[in-house]
């Protein structure tokens, strides 16, 4: 029989508490102890903030720790639970997936108590943390090989009311981009949270390294969400990004994904948030075998905004190179 | 008996030629064919440009290919040989070292004809390409996990005349930073080139992803070098970087390297090229086991400029986090 996950302290205790979420041991590894922060100021909204789902996206774990620094002095009501590193095995290894079982934590929800370690983490979160929250803010980033603007993203939600509430909350973060991204895969955390009728917002950031400027923008987005949800009093401030204080709401469809037509070296020829017209050069794919022929131009199929662009790198055939987008018309 | 490396075309032929440098097969892998570009406009200086020594530094291979596009119409004299990917195995794998033997190509010069594949590449370059050049321009970058400004770097050179010539050429590239970096390791390409009395300049760039803006700056630096060396006519243009057209010459000593005092999550609190005073906060190291105690402040030991700073990431104890620098006083 499987052991069951537990929390080492009373989440209902008033005020500030810290302790651990214990994910039971299994055949593949020993039990894990995930540090958990809880701040219970009584009646009001209930929020779960998670970071470090993918271990090579470090904005989340760092910003979660920064919020933990100032939240005790600013939270006025309700309950906030924060788990900076929901997948510590992946964070320690700096890998997207959990190294022990090779699984993507964001594809195994709601998890399995008798599964491999990634499934046991999802099970512990689903059973013990999710029931304590009405809203989940999952702190992701686009990963180190992409240029992607500071954004809140959401996937399309069948429930129109929840979709509208989610977009409204996403825009309240006042990040440069709010993105409705047509994407669906089994086992995602957001899908599971939506199935419980709860609100889910997700931050995505890009740009290779995790630097001080990006962290400040990310932190501002989380603070704005806490203000919009009513936990923190004050005025939401739109952060400055590339010398501008602007926001736009975009939509990316499945057909907006441009893939590599062959293997080779991808040379980006434009930057994220560039506006492109049909036929404009987005990048060039160079074969490595020859210098005299065979480079392939990657051109915009339609007028659009470059939402995400791969770093210059050697890519295989059929790898994603670019995500285009356009203003969302609801 | 070992096979010997060869070039599939006549490097002495006038005009433009392309072909391959063949690195012989060995016990560990088949022969490699590295694409080579040669442009021979007769009498004049002789330059070898190499990119892709480390396979996760793609600025070099891409910019080398861009130079190959315009050089035939602009080169007025002398000979330029360009090898965009000197280590194609590492480039294909997107790894710093060669995956087959785990070796760093920039630590095995002058190579060995009967060695493993990385040593055979170095041997082929040393034997067949280096004798054809008086100057080598090696196109590196600082790698995807660092923020580092567009720079030409050089290590200290015992020969004072060569040191002065190298710094002069480095500054002629007009990149934001020229860096004299106290560093020495056996088998580096620059040391071997210097031992032949030849000039060696090396570009280093950072910032996680390889994007269109960084590539344009990198290309401008190479063009400026070609102008300074006399291959191309025209005026050197200082590229714009972070809204400024400035250059500074800095020095980094061995003691300017700050390492992680423990394992944990590194949070950068300043950005590259920030000026810091003694005691200023550069970053914070957070233990992953607890949220309530144990974060370690990383502070500036002396007034300096932040020359390179690690991306926010999980780091092990004794990993490099920051390189400080100061204006070079010769």
């Amino acid at each position: 029989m499987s052991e069951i996950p537990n929390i080492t302290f009373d989440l209902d205790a008033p005020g500030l508490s810290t302790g651990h979420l214990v994910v039971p041991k299994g055949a593949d590894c020993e039990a894990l102890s995930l540090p958990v922060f809880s701040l219970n100021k009584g009646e009001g909204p209930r929020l779960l903030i998670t970071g470090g789902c993918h271990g090579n996206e470090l904005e989340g774990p760092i910003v979660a720790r920064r919020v933990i620094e100032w939240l005790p002095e600013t939270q006025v009501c309700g309950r906030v639970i924060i788990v900076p590193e929901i997948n510590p095995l992946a964070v320690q290894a700096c890998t997207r997936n959990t190294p022990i079982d090779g699984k993507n934590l964001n594809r195994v929800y709601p998890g399995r108590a008798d599964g491999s370690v990634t499934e046991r983490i999802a099970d512990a979160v689903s059973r013990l943390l999710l029931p304590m929250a009405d809203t989940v803010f999952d702190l992701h980033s686009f990963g180190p090989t992409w240029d992607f603007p500071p954004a809140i993203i959401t996937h399309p939600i069948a429930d129109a009311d929840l979709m509208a509430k989610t977009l409204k909350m996403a825009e309240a973060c006042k990040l440069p981009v709010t993105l409705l991204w047509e994407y669906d895969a089994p086992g995602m955390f957001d899908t599971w949270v939506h199935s419980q009728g709860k609100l889910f917002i997700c931050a995505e950031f890009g740009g290779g390294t995790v630097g001080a400027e990006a962290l400040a923008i990310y932190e501002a987005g989380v603070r704005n969400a806490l203000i919009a949800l009513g936990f923190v009093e004050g005025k939401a401030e739109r952060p400055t990004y590339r010398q501008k204080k602007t926001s736009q709401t975009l939509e990316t469809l499945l057909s907006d994904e441009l893939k590599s037509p062959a293997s080779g070296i991808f040379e980006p020829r434009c930057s994220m948030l560039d506006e492109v017209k049909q036929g404009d050069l987005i990048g060039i794919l160079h074969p490595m075998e020859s210098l005299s022929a065979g480079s392939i131009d990657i051109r915009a199929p339609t007028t659009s905004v470059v939402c995400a662009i791969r770093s210059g790198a050697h890519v295989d055939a059929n790898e994603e190179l670019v995500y285009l987008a356009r203003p969302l018309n609801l």
Side-chain angles (χ1 to χ4, degrees), chain A:
Chain A
M1 196 182 126
S2 312
E3 294 185 50
I4 57 168
N6 66 85
I7 289 172
T8 62
F9 65 106
D10 181 9
L11 279 178
D12 285 329
L16 192 162
S17 316
T18 61
H20 291 86
L21 171 67
V22 178
V23 177
K25 72 175 180 184
D28 52 358
C29 73
E30 290 301 304
L32 304 178
S33 285
L34 282 51
V36 176
F37 163 96
S38 169
L39 187 53
N40 182 353
K41 293 261 178 117
E43 290 300 306
R46 303 184 310 158
L47 174 66
L48 169 63
I49 298 178
T50 50
C53 166
H54 298 132
N56 58 354
E57 302 173 4
L58 268 282
E59 287 89 344
I62 293 171
V63 168
R65 286 163 184 274
R66 286 163 75 144
V67 173
I68 286 170
E69 282 290 309
W70 52 256
L71 198 60
E73 295 194 359
T74 53
Q75 186 179 326
V76 294
C77 67
R79 293 181 181 197
V80 177
I81 297 170
I82 303 179
V83 187
E85 296 96 31
I86 205 87
N87 189 349
L89 297 170
V91 171
Q92 278 167 346
C94 295
T95 54
R96 179 172 174 82
N97 293 354
T98 318
I100 289 174
D101 59 10
K103 288 187 177 157
N104 179 340
L105 176 55
N106 203 23
R107 297 294 182 275
V108 300
Y109 276 91
R112 283 174 54 186
D114 61 350
S116 65
V117 63
T118 309
E119 295 166 316
R120 296 199 302 279
I121 294 172
D123 176 69
V125 173
S126 302
R127 275 175 204 253
L128 298 180
L129 297 181
L130 194 51
M132 309 295 291
D134 310 308
T135 300
V136 174
F137 195 169
D138 200 19
L139 310 180
H140 278 257
S141 30
F142 219 71
T145 66
W146 287 85
D147 278 316
F148 189 83
I152 302 292
I153 69 157
T154 177
H155 302 129
I157 306 169
D159 177 334
D161 181 51
L162 194 57
M163 177 85 264
K165 277 186 188 158
T166 302
L167 274 175
K168 189 178 167 198
M169 180 54 58
E171 289 177 339
C173 293
K174 296 185 180 292
L175 288 181
V177 169
T178 295
L179 180 66
L180 179 60
W181 187 7
E182 187 182 26
Y183 184 84
D184 192 24
M188 289 199 296
F189 193 23
D190 62 342
T191 313
W192 180 244
V193 174
H194 292 150
S195 75
Q196 322 272 302
K198 301 183 181 201
L199 197 63
F200 185 97
I201 44 177
C202 175
E204 291 278 2
F205 273 59
T209 52
V210 177
E213 289 174 27
L215 289 170
I217 296 172
Y218 205 121
E219 185 179 9
V222 176
R223 181 188 284 268
N224 290 341
L226 286 162
I227 292 170
L229 288 163
F231 291 102
V232 170
E233 292 175 342
K235 191 170 172 297
E237 302 248 353
R238 201 176 301 278
T240 301
Y241 174 64
R242 297 165 138 205
Q243 295 80 53
K244 283 187 277 191
K245 282 182 186 282
T246 54
S247 297
Q248 53 187 321
T249 299
L250 302 173
E251 178 181 37
T252 290
L253 303 175
L254 283 173
S255 56
D256 285 320
E257 192 179 311
L258 304 189
K259 294 191 173 185
S260 180
S263 74
I265 292 178
F266 176 62
E267 174 186 352
R269 280 278 176 152
C270 61
S271 302
M272 58 176 166
L273 300 187
D274 280 357
E275 291 177 19
V276 289
K277 295 189 300 294
Q278 184 179 11
D280 280 356
L281 187 63
I282 288 179
I284 306 173
L285 189 73
H286 301 284
M288 272 185 62
E289 298 70 27
S290 162
L291 295 177
S292 46
S295 289
I296 302 169
D297 288 349
I298 313 288
R299 294 187 179 276
T302 175
T303 295
S304 42
V305 175
V306 176
C307 187
I309 186 158
R310 260 299 287 270
S311 174
H314 182 268
V315 297
D316 290 326
N318 218 33
E319 272 192 60
E320 293 87 352
L321 298 179
V322 181
Y323 290 91
L324 299 173
R326 66 198 53 73
L328 176 65
N329 294 311
L330 283 180

